[in-house]
Amino acid sequence: MSVGCALAASYRQRSQAACGLLEVVDRLKDMIVTGGENVASLEVERAISSICPEVGEVAVIGVPHESHGEEVKAVVVLKPGQEVGAEEIISWSKERLAAYKYPRDVELVDALPRTATGKVLWRQAQAEQDALDSSPSSDQFSSMNNTR
């Protein structure tokens, strides 16, 4: 299998035929499918980071939705000393992203879960959200708030 085929198998890609270049957009596993539309979580993360100077880190995940399959949710860590509300982030995103891409929910947390080397554990954020969906009485992202 060639390198290009291997990349195509595990990554969503956007080709640039004119230059003969391949741009990796996001991992297929991180793709959020909402109402039949594909949303690359990395694209939404980059948009939120660029439009909201108060945002330090952001993880975008898909959460279950009754009619759309999944819905876009952003888990946001603000920069120290900064304040912004979840509704403001949603409003800014709504103005700059396609209607199916902007996050419908924003969760403000103290920290994102990380490995010992400092890499963000996106899957853990997703798993914690899935657990919350199955037990509505638990505190949202409680273990994420104490991780750093």
Side-chain angles (χ1 to χ4, degrees), residues 7-113:
L7 279 175
S10 63
Y11 288 88
R12 180 167 186 224
Q13 58 187 351
R14 190 180 302 151
S15 64
Q16 297 177 349
C19 299
L21 299 175
L22 179 71
E23 177 187 358
V24 175
V25 178
D26 204 358
R27 291 178 55 88
L28 280 174
K29 292 179 183 179
D30 296 336
M31 190 66 57
I32 300 166
V33 181
T34 178
E37 299 286 349
N38 291 338
V39 179
S41 57
L42 186 61
E43 179 183 0
V44 179
E45 290 166 7
R46 286 179 180 166
I48 291 172
S49 293
S50 69
I51 61 175
C52 304
E54 298 87 356
V55 172
E57 295 180 297
V58 60
V60 172
I61 58 175
V63 293
H65 187 271
E66 289 179 16
S67 62
H68 292 98
E70 287 182 304
E71 197 169 67
V72 180
K73 178 175 183 170
V75 182
V76 175
V77 178
L78 298 177
K79 290 178 182 173
Q82 298 294 318
E83 289 188 25
V84 67
E87 289 301 320
E88 289 176 280
I89 295 172
I90 292 171
S91 176
W92 291 335
S93 300
K94 193 174 186 178
E95 291 173 7
R96 291 165 179 87
L97 290 168
Y100 63 92
K101 290 183 181 181
Y102 75 88
R104 299 314 196 260
D105 186 25
V106 171
E107 181 78 26
L108 299 173
V109 297
D110 294 332
L112 295 172

